[in-house]
Amino acid sequence: MNVKAYLDLLRIGDYRLLWSALVLNLLGDGATYAALAWITVERAGAAGLGVLGVCLTLPVILGGAVVGPLLDRFSRRKLFIYDSVFRGAVVALIPLLAWLGALEQWHLYSVAVVYGLLKIIPLAGTPAVLPELVPGEKLQAASGLEATAMGAANVVGPALGALLIAAFDAPSVLVLDAVTYLIFALLISRIKAPMGRPEPTGETGTRRKPGWTPVFKLIVRDRFLLVLTLSFAAFNVSAGALVVALPWLAKFEFDSGPGVLGLMLAVMAAGELIGSLVSGAVQTSEKQMLRIGVLQLLSGAVLFLLVPTSLPWILLGLALNGILSAPMTVLGGVVRMTRVPNQMRGRAMTLMRTLMAGALPAGSAVGGVLLSGSHYTGLVLGVAALAAAPGVLTVVLFRNTAFRLGVTAGEQQDSVPATS
């Protein structure tokens, strides 16, 4: 792994500030989830946790519809700062109400809804501003560090929150998270790059095109973006099915408690971290899409290792799936960031990430139906095939197509034969 690529990237002051702010934001989000979940389970039990989960995730779709155009219409710096300060104030209301003895369960749900509605601002805004902060040849390393931060935070954030709850209490954890929101805003304010309202550049035209129509047209007409979005969505259906399958395995096949489930999730997360770190340190290639196709084919194929309900085989399959799938996100992020014109980048990133994330519940629903009939083998065979098949299509479509940094969809140069 070329660690120098990451060290060179972190020497860029503006990127270092953004990445530090992102890591802090993600860790705080994980700790907040743990605190909200703990207060909810004490007050409303398992049923309350289900409602909290819906409040945290479902509004993300609506938030994407609203926030995407904002990222392309207003200063992205100001949106980052206003969002962070506002959400910090909202989170701080919970400990305040708790200490006043006025906290009700609906307050927790309301905070979760606000979180879900606005989460897309840093989620889509970060890749939207990266091309402004780092040179094109470093975008893959930047995408790799972003994916690594997300993966690490998904593991460390809730665990850190749980430790802090045990040391103090859940409301105190939310106070700390409110402070991290303010630090996030401070770090963003120190970035020297404008990060302002995006303006049309180059040959993409001088007139701003509002709304979602030009973004839909961009994705549909550019086969790089279209194939990435559809193939990743198919892959996420499989990922959503695994969310249901792993607890089912721990409970009914291994007759075990949360320990085995935690082991499976940790192994998969560790694989994703390794894949993100390695792929981010590799140089961008003109065969970027071919690489993505091969990775998706292999990461889907290793899911067949989950067919035998033997823990060592399942752990191996999950580890390999994580190692192979994480680079897909990193390499695909570079393609998306460079193919989309700046004045559409906020909406496009929002739309593509929302569509891909929206496939997860569909996979979970299918997994639930099949596992309710104990059709585990059929589920694994189906999700493995669904994950791998788009990889085959990507390999076929892009085996002789070059990817060039800085070439956007508007320049219509997506059919250049790759050179040797």
Side-chain angles (χ1 to χ4, degrees):
M1 182 178 66
N2 185 10
V3 179
K4 185 176 181 296
Y6 289 131
L7 296 178
D8 290 344
L9 180 64
L10 290 171
R11 290 191 182 99
I12 301 174
D14 282 351
Y15 177 79
R16 187 169 61 249
L17 287 169
L18 177 66
W19 189 77
S20 300
L22 178 65
V23 170
L24 188 66
N25 180 270
L26 291 169
L27 288 173
D29 285 348
T32 291
Y33 171 74
L36 290 176
W38 186 256
I39 297 173
T40 297
V41 77
E42 286 190 327
R43 288 171 166 264
L49 282 177
V51 176
L52 182 70
V54 172
C55 292
L56 284 168
T57 56
L58 191 59
V60 173
I61 298 175
L62 177 60
V66 175
V67 169
L70 296 182
L71 286 168
D72 288 335
R73 188 173 181 181
F74 299 103
S75 165
R76 291 164 180 168
R77 178 199 299 272
K78 290 181 179 178
L79 284 174
F80 276 145
I81 293 174
Y82 294 161
D83 161 66
S84 191
V85 172
F86 176 70
R87 282 201 285 164
V90 170
V91 168
L93 286 175
I94 298 299
L96 177 61
L97 290 170
W99 293 333
L100 292 174
L103 182 62
E104 302 289 343
Q105 188 59 34
W106 69 268
H107 293 138
L108 302 174
Y109 298 150
S110 298
V111 170
V113 168
V114 171
Y115 168 87
L117 285 172
L118 299 178
K119 176 60 180 175
I120 199 68
I121 290 181
L123 191 63
T126 299
V129 301
L130 279 180
E132 185 179 351
L133 305 184
V134 301
E137 66 273 11
K138 296 184 184 297
L139 279 177
Q140 186 151 310
S143 182
L145 275 185
E146 182 199 4
T148 301
M150 289 184 175
N154 287 337
V155 177
V156 176
L160 178 62
L163 290 174
L164 292 174
I165 291 170
F168 304 101
D169 55 31
S172 298
V173 172
L174 293 175
V175 171
L176 292 175
D177 187 40
V179 173
T180 67
Y181 277 110
L182 299 181
I183 298 174
F184 178 94
L186 177 63
L187 292 173
I188 295 298
S189 69
R190 294 183 59 192
I191 293 177
K192 295 178 181 179
M195 288 174 57
R197 179 186 182 188
E199 297 293 343
T201 56
E203 300 178 10
T204 58
T206 58
R207 184 172 62 87
R208 182 180 302 276
K209 297 180 179 180
W212 289 103
T213 300
V215 179
F216 279 110
K217 288 182 178 179
L218 171 73
I219 295 174
V220 170
R221 292 174 180 175
D222 182 77
R223 62 174 179 152
F224 284 82
L225 300 177
L226 181 62
V227 169
L228 273 181
T229 302
L230 295 180
S231 61
F232 280 23
F235 191 88
N236 280 350
V237 172
S238 299
L242 287 180
V243 170
V244 177
L246 297 186
W248 185 89
L249 281 169
K251 176 68 174 178
F252 297 105
E253 287 295 323
F254 301 134
D255 193 23
S256 180
V260 170
L261 174 60
L263 175 62
M264 291 189 288
L265 292 175
V267 166
M268 187 163 58
E272 291 172 354
L273 286 176
I274 293 170
S276 297
L277 283 169
V278 172
S279 60
V282 175
Q283 286 190 339
T284 304
S285 168
E286 65 178 10
K287 295 184 178 180
Q288 192 88 335
M289 290 297 292
L290 181 61
R291 286 181 175 180
I292 292 171
V294 172
L295 285 168
Q296 182 158 2
L297 171 60
L298 294 176
S299 59
V302 298
L303 290 177
F304 287 110
L305 294 174
L306 275 60
V307 171
T309 53
S310 170
L311 186 58
W313 282 107
I314 288 174
L315 293 177
L316 178 61
L318 293 174
L320 292 175
N321 178 261
I323 291 172
L324 293 166
S325 63
M328 291 165 44
T329 302
V330 175
L331 273 61
V334 177
V335 176
R336 289 192 293 268
M337 283 186 282
T338 58
R339 297 290 297 176
V340 180
N342 184 38
Q343 70 272 17
M344 291 187 188
R345 199 170 288 140
R347 285 166 291 169
M349 294 297 176
T350 299
L351 178 61
M352 288 185 284
R353 286 198 161 182
T354 301
L355 289 174
M356 290 183 288
L360 291 167
S364 296
V366 172
V369 171
L370 290 176
L371 291 175
S372 64
S374 298
H375 300 302
Y376 171 76
T377 301
L379 175 64
V380 173
L381 293 175
V383 298
L386 182 62
V392 177
L393 178 63
T394 303
V395 169
V396 171
L397 289 176
F398 292 94
R399 64 186 185 280
N400 294 318
T401 303
F403 167 74
R404 296 182 179 180
L405 281 170
V407 177
T408 66
E411 294 171 302
Q412 296 299 317
Q413 296 184 21
D414 59 348
S415 299
V416 182
T419 56
S420 58

